[in-house]
Every structure is written in C-alpha cells, then in structure tokens.
Amino acid sequence: MGLIQLRIMHSSIYRLAASTAATAAIGLSATPGVAAVYQALCTGGSECTVTLANGQIGTPGLVIKKDQVLSWSQGGSGSKTDVGMGVAGVVLFGIPGLIGFAAKKHDYTFSINYVDEAGNIQATAVGFKNNVPANQFMMEMMGMTGLSLGEVNKDLQGRIDQIKAESAEKARIASLDCARALKTYSCSWNDYVAANPAVQLWANKYPSMVPAEKARLRAID
C-alpha cells in the first residue's frame, strides 16, 4: 500500500471515530449504579477525589446535578488532540484502546460552568496530569450531561431568570413571620383555607373565631 493511500485510510478512520465518539461515550458510561471515581486536581490546584455517579458530579464540598451543568470545556497545556485520539481509540478498539493509549504528561483542565440553586452561574475545575484519565473523564461528562465540549445547555440557559425568581420567592417566604402551617401558602390565610377543606368547614361554622385564628397564625391577609 502506498504512503498516500495509507495516510488517506488513517484520516478516514480518525474522522469516523471522532464522529461517533459521543455516542460511544454515552454507551460506555451509562451503566446504572456504577460510579466513576477520579483522583484529580480541583480548583486551586489541590488534590481531590471527583466522583461521577447517579447523575451528579461530586467534588469536595460541592455536588453538581447534571441538570445544573450549563457547559463544560477542556483547557490547559495538554493537547486537545491527545484527548480526542484517546476517545477515538475507544471507538475503534474498545476499553483496551483507552488503556493502551500512551499516557502523555500534560496539564488537562476541565472547566465546568453550572447554575446554582439561586440561579447564579458558578464555575469549578477538575484537572489531570496525563491524558488517560482525561480521556475517560471527557467521555463520562459527555454521557452524563448529554453535552459535547463547549456546548451550552440552551434549556437551562433559558430558565436562569425563572430559577432566580423562584429562589427569591422562597427567600421572601422564609423571611415572613408566620406560623409553620402557613409557610407553604406564603403566609396567606385565604390560600391556606382553600387548600384545606377541613379548615374551610371550620371557618364557615365558626366565623367569629376566624380573626383570632388568623392572628394566632400571623397571616398576612
């Protein structure tokens, strides 16, 4: 086989592997009940344990649900080609392709942008010193989040304002000075009564006692 033909063949194989890498990653990482545990470098460069399991990314003091991930990317001095070729190796040769892919010593840093419960965009980082765990982490992230490198979760992005509004409303209700029974109803007596038929019957039977009960519960209406 000529040199030109060999180069064309290799190029075709790589393009095929790259185009199916995401699908393969999802299949390989979707085994229920199996956790992927990594010894990595977390934000600030400290050594840490990172776990991907049950639709969550766990790092010391932080748990990110997959639905909270806005986007993720790979940077650092490590070549993105190293990671891409590792994923391609898995597609072509299975898990042995990943294990057998020569480890390259670089810095591989994955930045994860996520939306917290208050609707604020936060970021954390997970780093590796060689491409073998970086390859696997990349695959696991694609499989768990359904997002490719640099892809933005459009649905989550469109709900940020709603999440902020809901968080603010929860904080407002929590700050109100009413009895626990009314907290679920934003301290509203009317909403409380409407949701509880037994209370409605009592209020209709003893209307003269309602003002005292509203005062006792510290209702706002």
Side-chain angles (χ1 to χ4, degrees):
M1 181 181 295
L3 179 60
I4 294 177
Q5 290 178 311
L6 184 61
R7 287 177 176 174
I8 292 174
M9 183 184 72
H10 284 176
S11 177
S12 299
I13 291 174
Y14 180 77
R15 285 198 301 270
L16 174 64
S19 66
T20 55
T23 302
I26 293 172
L28 287 170
S29 62
T31 306
V34 177
V37 180
Y38 298 89
Q39 299 305 311
L41 299 175
C42 288
T43 302
S46 59
E47 294 184 359
C48 64
T49 298
V50 178
T51 304
L52 275 67
N54 302 318
Q56 297 181 333
I57 305 164
T59 66
L62 176 64
V63 174
I64 305 171
K65 298 178 182 178
K66 64 179 182 180
D67 294 336
Q68 291 179 284
V69 177
L70 184 63
S71 65
W72 61 282
S73 59
Q74 188 239 320
S77 61
S79 168
K80 291 180 174 61
T81 302
D82 295 343
V83 176
M85 284 300 293
V87 175
V90 175
V91 175
L92 294 174
F93 308 113
I95 292 299
L98 175 62
I99 297 173
F101 188 66
K104 295 185 179 181
K105 296 293 183 179
H106 293 294
D107 291 323
Y108 299 86
T109 303
F110 292 89
S111 298
I112 303 171
N113 298 314
Y114 65 97
V115 178
D116 65 18
E117 294 182 355
N120 299 312
I121 299 176
Q122 308 285 3
T124 191
V126 176
F128 300 97
K129 287 296 185 182
N130 68 67
N131 62 308
V132 174
N135 290 334
Q136 186 168 343
F137 186 81
M138 176 181 176
M139 292 167 56
E140 293 281 353
M141 285 294 294
M142 286 193 291
M144 175 181 289
T145 66
L147 301 172
S148 59
L149 275 169
E151 182 181 359
V152 175
N153 185 335
K154 297 293 187 181
D155 177 67
L156 177 59
Q157 187 178 50
R159 291 190 296 108
I160 288 178
D161 288 342
Q162 178 186 346
I163 295 171
K164 287 182 177 180
E166 291 174 352
S167 176
E169 179 63 9
K170 288 179 182 179
R172 184 188 70 82
I173 292 172
S175 68
L176 294 174
D177 183 25
C178 66
R180 181 181 299 178
L182 296 189
K183 284 286 187 180
T184 303
Y185 309 99
S186 301
C187 295
S188 170
W189 168 264
N190 293 332
D191 291 347
Y192 171 63
V193 170
N196 294 275
V199 177
Q200 178 73 72
L201 290 173
W202 175 86
N204 291 339
K205 188 174 183 179
Y206 304 104
S208 63
M209 299 178 65
V210 169
E213 182 65 4
K214 291 172 66 174
R216 184 183 74 82
L217 297 176
R218 301 186 298 281
I220 62 174
D221 55 6

